[in-house]
């Protein structure tokens, strides 16, 4: 009976039989993965099997296998052997001369060390590979979809901390490791999984010319990608992790993780713009004294409390809250268009320790900024505007700062260098924001003789900034003291050490309002 790799017409059984005839039997699962992924890499198939090259061998061993295949460390030599055997087959079929054959086999063995490192590195895992590894390590029959589902149900019932430990996403005990490192690693795993799926589907479309039904190509390619993913991890796993067990593999689509990664990327970009590529961290912020105090502050913030209530009663939440809950993982849809239910962030909120809560806070911060950037009343005038504003606020963390002054800088008013003034006491602490009268505004900004017309010009920008601060206050990012945005410690989860002595800060020419 011929074993074919759907959707590729590859005769795997004949390849395995020829290897056995040569006295070098191959691991069937490893051989299937090598053949299928080489086809996806664009290998020629003039002999009925893919023809490896040095370039394809490197991509296979260092990129594709570490993206898609679950395997224990002791199984890894089988993949290298299968690839070398395929090189032998190609040579015997007359498609590879002796010199190139020898070079290819030598190159395959050179790549073996890096392959082993890639396959065992936690930094290269995807959700399907990770769960496939756990299924196989538990002794579950990875070809039995019901057995795989039963294992997932058992795993889902484990305590939150025990699951995190099994997955490898645990807080570091090192004082030099950021408290949010485990959450960041999980977000990277999720994004890596998303990108791997997109690449798999795109390569299927590129190499498959028949089989896709007219008018339903997208669904067909997605289905075939799922079948291949299951073949290389565990049967039925793809649909389970994208459906009823999506909460065990957060980060798909617009779910949690992406907001955290987007936030970190934007912060890194802004830091380089402000300080250059040297390691010049932001000035120290009034950080909590301990991780436990940080967790207490996060639990006291109104916004995650609101989203936790939305997770408990999705239908009782308003549209804006439900949208933010979905973006931050307090809610998930276990099938496209399905009814939202409690997601991984709700569980982290309920059962997580300081590290999990810190990651949740950062992810929620990123999701909130993304939502504010799109809403009419707080829409950004250019990409990254809100983060830029907060970055500037962070340089004076813990000190009262004037909304009027920030709005004037944003509107490109020239504020005299070195001018310092307390915010105007006349601004009401509650209700709609109001700029101070012209005389008080002149004192705050260091600009004498401002008129009512000048004040009127500044109102739209100041009102928009005040609305931004109002929305951020519910996460504890800012505090209002007479409408003075005052960055709260929650904001500084990404803050680091003071710049080294003698460090000269870059010009702020990159700021649109300078």
């Amino acid at each position: 009976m011929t074993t074919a790799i759907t959707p590729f017409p590859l005769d795997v059984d004949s390849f395995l039989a020829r290897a056995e005839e040569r006295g070098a039997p191959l691991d069937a699962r490893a051989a299937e993965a090598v053949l299928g992924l080489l086809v996806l890499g664009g290998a020629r198939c003039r002999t009925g099997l893919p023809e490896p090259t040095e370039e394809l061998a490197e991509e296979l061993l260092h990129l594709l296998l570490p993206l898609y295949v679950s395997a224990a460390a002791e199984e890894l030599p089988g993949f290298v052997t299968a690839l070398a055997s395929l090189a032998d087959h190609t040579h015997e079929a007359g498609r590879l001369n002796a010199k190139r054959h020898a070079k290819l086999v030598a190159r395959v063995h050179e790549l073996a060390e890096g392959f082993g490192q890639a396959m065992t590195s936690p930094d290269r895992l995807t959700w399907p590979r990770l769960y496939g590894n756990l299924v196989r390590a538990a002794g579950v029959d990875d070809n039995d979809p019901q057995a795989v589902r039963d294992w997932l149900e058992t795993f889902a019932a484990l305590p939150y901390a025990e699951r995190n430990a099994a997955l490898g996403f645990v807080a570091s005990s090192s004082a030099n490791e950021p408290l949010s490192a485990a959450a960041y690693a999980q977000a990277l795993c999720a994004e890596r999984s998303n990108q791997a799926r997109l690449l798999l589907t795109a390569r299927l479309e590129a190499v498959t010319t028949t089989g896709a039904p007219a008018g339903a190509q997208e669904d067909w390619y997605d289905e075939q990608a799922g079948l291949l993913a299951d073949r290389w991890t565990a049967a039925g796993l793809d649909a389970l992790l994208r459906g009823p067990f999506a909460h065990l593999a957060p980060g798909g689509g617009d779910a949690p993780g992406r907001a955290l990664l987007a936030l970190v990327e934007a912060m890194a970009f802004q830091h380089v713009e402000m300080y250059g590529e040297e390691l010049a961290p932001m000035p120290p912020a009034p950080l909590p004294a301990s991780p436990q105090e940080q967790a207490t502050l996060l639990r006291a913030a109104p916004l995650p409390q609101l989203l936790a209530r939305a997770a408990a009663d999705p239908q009782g939440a308003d549209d804006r809250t439900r949208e933010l809950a979905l973006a931050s993982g307090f809610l998930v849809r276990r099938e496209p268009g399905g009814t939202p239910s409690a997601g991984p962030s709700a569980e982290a909120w309920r059962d997580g320790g300081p590290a999990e809560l810190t990651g949740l806070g950062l992810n929620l911060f990123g999701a909130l900024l993304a939502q504010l950037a799109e809403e009419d009343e707080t829409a950004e005038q250019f990409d990254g505007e809100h983060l830029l504003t907060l970055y500037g606020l962070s340089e004076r963390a813990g000190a009262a700062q004037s909304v009027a002054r920030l709005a004037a800088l944003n509107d490109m008013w020239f504020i005299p260098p070195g001018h310092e003034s307390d915010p105007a006491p006349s601004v009401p602490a509650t209700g709609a924001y109001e700029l101070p009268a012209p005389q008080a505004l002149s004192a705050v900004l260091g600009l004498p003789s401002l008129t009512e017309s000048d004040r009127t010009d500044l109102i739209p920008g100041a009102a928009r900034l005040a609305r931004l601060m109002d929305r951020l206050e519910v996460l504890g990012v800012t505090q209002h003291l007479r409408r003075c945005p005052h960055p709260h410690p929650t904001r500084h989860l990404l803050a680091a050490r003071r710049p080294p002595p003698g460090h000269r800060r870059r010009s702020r020419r990159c700021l649109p309002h300078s």
Side-chain angles (χ1 to χ4, degrees):
M1 179 178 178
T2 297
T3 301
I5 304 176
T6 304
F8 312 129
L10 298 175
D11 188 353
V12 181
D13 285 349
S14 295
F15 175 57
L16 294 173
R18 284 193 293 271
E20 190 160 358
E21 289 170 3
R22 290 195 296 266
L26 301 174
D27 178 87
R29 184 171 178 272
E32 283 189 10
V34 166
L35 295 176
L37 287 168
L38 281 173
V39 172
L40 286 173
R44 302 174 72 179
C45 294
R46 295 172 295 178
T47 67
L49 292 174
E51 300 168 24
T53 64
E54 291 186 49
E55 293 77 14
L56 288 173
E58 181 172 2
E59 182 185 59
L60 174 72
L61 294 175
H62 287 183
L63 174 64
L64 298 180
L65 285 167
L67 274 179
Y68 298 112
V69 179
S70 296
E74 61 270 18
E75 297 174 298
L76 300 184
F79 293 89
V80 178
T81 301
L83 181 55
S85 181
L86 183 60
D88 294 341
H89 167 80
T90 308
H91 172 58
E92 292 167 3
R95 297 298 181 180
L96 194 63
N97 64 37
K99 182 177 179 180
R100 288 193 295 127
H101 171 245
K103 282 187 63 179
L104 175 57
V105 172
R107 181 61 176 152
V108 167
H109 290 293
E110 286 176 6
L111 294 166
E113 182 179 355
F115 168 63
Q117 292 172 352
M119 290 294 286
T120 55
S121 170
D123 296 333
R124 300 293 296 275
L125 285 170
T126 62
W127 285 126
R129 275 195 65 222
L130 178 51
Y131 278 103
N133 285 340
L134 291 176
V135 165
R136 291 163 60 78
V140 175
D141 182 357
D142 58 355
N143 291 312
D144 182 348
Q146 186 58 52
V148 173
R149 185 186 185 100
D150 291 345
W151 181 87
L152 275 176
E153 288 180 348
T154 302
F155 186 77
L158 293 176
Y160 178 78
E162 189 174 339
R163 291 205 318 268
N164 266 3
L167 293 169
F169 299 120
V170 293
S172 171
S173 58
S174 171
N176 296 322
E177 190 79 8
L179 195 56
S180 57
Y184 185 65
Q186 186 179 47
L188 286 175
C189 178
E191 184 62 16
R192 198 179 299 118
S193 303
N194 292 328
Q195 296 301 320
R197 183 53 177 256
L198 291 173
L199 177 64
L200 181 57
T201 304
R203 293 210 169 181
L204 270 171
E205 292 183 20
V207 303
T208 308
T209 56
T210 60
Q217 290 95 336
E218 184 175 344
D219 289 342
W220 186 84
Y221 283 119
D222 187 64
E223 179 185 355
Q224 296 303 313
L227 290 173
L228 287 175
D230 286 352
R231 198 174 187 103
W232 298 327
T233 54
L237 188 60
D238 179 77
L240 292 170
L241 292 181
R242 289 155 61 90
F245 295 94
H247 59 295
L248 296 181
D254 295 323
R258 290 195 168 183
L260 188 151
L261 293 180
L263 174 66
V264 171
E265 180 182 11
M267 286 292 294
F269 173 80
Q270 189 56 49
H271 195 74
V272 170
E273 286 291 300
M274 298 285 281
Y275 290 106
E277 296 184 2
E278 303 173 38
L279 178 61
M282 296 166 64
L287 289 169
S290 68
Q292 289 70 30
E293 184 180 334
Q294 174 69 72
T296 300
L297 286 168
L298 284 163
R299 289 199 179 281
L303 182 58
Q305 295 178 23
L306 173 66
L307 296 180
R309 291 194 294 272
D313 180 19
Q315 300 308 312
D318 60 69
D319 289 345
R320 174 197 275 176
T321 301
R322 196 158 44 242
E323 178 185 324
L324 186 59
L326 285 165
S328 59
F330 275 87
L331 289 173
V332 294
R333 298 187 192 276
R334 300 177 194 272
E335 58 183 40
T339 302
S341 59
S345 293
E347 191 173 19
W349 176 255
R350 185 184 67 239
D351 300 328
E356 290 79 16
L357 289 174
T358 300
L360 183 151
L362 283 169
N363 188 56
L364 181 51
F365 181 38
L368 178 60
L369 282 177
Q371 185 182 63
L372 294 175
E374 297 295 328
E375 293 182 347
D376 290 342
E377 290 190 339
T378 53
E380 290 185 331
Q381 296 178 339
F382 56 88
D383 287 344
E385 179 190 10
H386 294 339
L387 190 63
L388 184 62
T389 298
L390 289 167
Y391 198 96
L393 284 171
S394 298
E395 295 181 300
R396 300 180 62 193
Q401 301 177 59
S402 165
V403 168
R405 180 188 179 95
L406 288 169
L409 288 169
N410 286 343
D411 281 2
M412 302 180 74
W413 288 25
F414 179 77
I415 307 300
H419 175 75
E420 297 289 344
S421 172
D422 291 333
S426 61
V427 176
T430 59
Y433 175 79
E434 294 180 13
L435 276 172
Q439 183 176 357
L441 189 60
S442 290
V444 168
L445 302 182
L447 300 174
S449 305
L450 290 177
T451 66
E452 187 61 38
S453 176
D454 295 323
R455 178 181 178 275
T456 300
D457 289 342
L458 194 57
I459 286 176
R464 189 171 66 93
L465 185 58
R467 287 191 293 268
L468 173 66
M469 297 303 159
D470 284 340
R471 291 294 309 279
L472 291 174
E473 188 173 18
V474 297
L475 184 55
V477 176
T478 58
Q479 291 178 327
H480 288 176
L481 307 174
R482 292 179 178 168
R483 292 287 181 177
C484 308
H486 186 84
H488 189 281
T490 303
R491 163 62 187 87
H492 300 288
L493 296 172
L494 294 177
R497 303 181 305 277
R498 183 184 297 276
H503 171 76
R504 294 186 62 190
R505 180 182 162 188
R506 261 190 169 188
S507 165
R508 294 184 64 174
R509 60 183 180 279
C510 60
L511 303 186
H513 51 255
S514 293

